Amino acid sequence: MAFFRWASSITLALVTPFSVALAEEAHTHGEGQLNIAIDDAGALIEVMVPADDLVGFEYNPSSDQEKNAVADALATLEDVDLFRFNAEAGCSRTSVHADFEVEGDHAEFHAEIEFSCADTDAIKTLATSYFTHFPDTHELEVQISTNQGSSGIDWEAENSSIAL
């Protein structure tokens, strides 16, 4: 429970400025935002990406094909193990939630993935299959927050993992 409260406060601290920045750069297609919060008990990953990168449009779906595309993207975000910490940390996914959000002339996908970890001090890398599943995204802007501080990097699609 302490992790959830901590992660929620970290997420709010991370998300608020970056959500505003993402909204201001609403048409920076091919680039998403990845926020990572790590504490002693686990980790929380938040993904925000323009809908165009995942489904090819940025509006409420009207056709069956568009509705299926949104449903498929949400299922991939929720059901596929898109992000994996190095095995030594002993992390396992405990919950995931994904949404499709439309505001004005911009739509995005937002997902939160929570992990419990045996040893968060052992977290050294994060691997992904995200770029394979969503090839129209070529970069994730990563913000990392831990008990030791914060940092940021750009994760390019040609890299299947990053050092934390």
Side-chain angles (χ1 to χ4, degrees), residues 105-117:
D105 62 352
H106 178 69
E108 70 179 23
F109 284 89
H110 177 247
E112 291 183 357
I113 309 160
E114 190 171 340
F115 297 83
S116 65
C117 301

Side-chain angles (χ1 to χ4, degrees), residues 26-45:
H27 291 92
T28 306
H29 295 168
E31 296 179 12
Q33 179 69 42
L34 181 72
N35 298 317
I36 306 167
I38 302 171
D39 76 352
D40 296 333
L44 178 69
I45 293 178

Side-chain angles (χ1 to χ4, degrees), residues 95-163:
S95 70
V96 61
H97 180 75
D99 289 309
F100 176 72
E101 303 164 348
V102 179
E103 188 173 315
D105 62 352
H106 178 69
E108 70 179 23
F109 284 89
H110 177 247
E112 291 183 357
I113 309 160
E114 190 171 340
F115 297 83
S116 65
C117 301
D119 183 6
T120 57
D121 289 335
I123 294 176
K124 303 296 180 210
T125 61
L126 181 64
T128 192
S129 60
Y130 177 87
F131 297 112
T132 302
H133 288 281
F134 302 114
D136 288 338
T137 302
H138 60 267
E139 179 181 306
L140 291 171
E141 295 177 13
V142 181
Q143 297 297 317
I144 307 160
S145 181
T146 68
N147 293 335
Q148 290 76 40
S150 299
S151 62
I153 60 171
D154 290 336
W155 191 346
E156 302 292 330
E158 55 270 3
N159 299 315
S160 61
S161 67
I162 57 171

Side-chain angles (χ1 to χ4, degrees), residues 2-50:
F3 170 73
F4 180 74
R5 283 192 301 269
W6 177 84
S8 294
S9 64
I10 292 299
T11 300
L12 287 175
L14 285 171
V15 175
T16 303
F18 297 113
S19 295
V20 171
L22 188 60
E24 290 173 0
E25 298 177 21
H27 291 92
T28 306
H29 295 168
E31 296 179 12
Q33 179 69 42
L34 181 72
N35 298 317
I36 306 167
I38 302 171
D39 76 352
D40 296 333
L44 178 69
I45 293 178
E46 178 184 47
V47 181
M48 295 174 291
V49 62

Side-chain angles (χ1 to χ4, degrees), residues 42-63:
L44 178 69
I45 293 178
E46 178 184 47
V47 181
M48 295 174 291
V49 62
D52 188 65
D53 297 353
L54 276 56
V55 294
F57 57 87
E58 290 198 26
Y59 47 81
N60 276 319
S62 56
S63 71

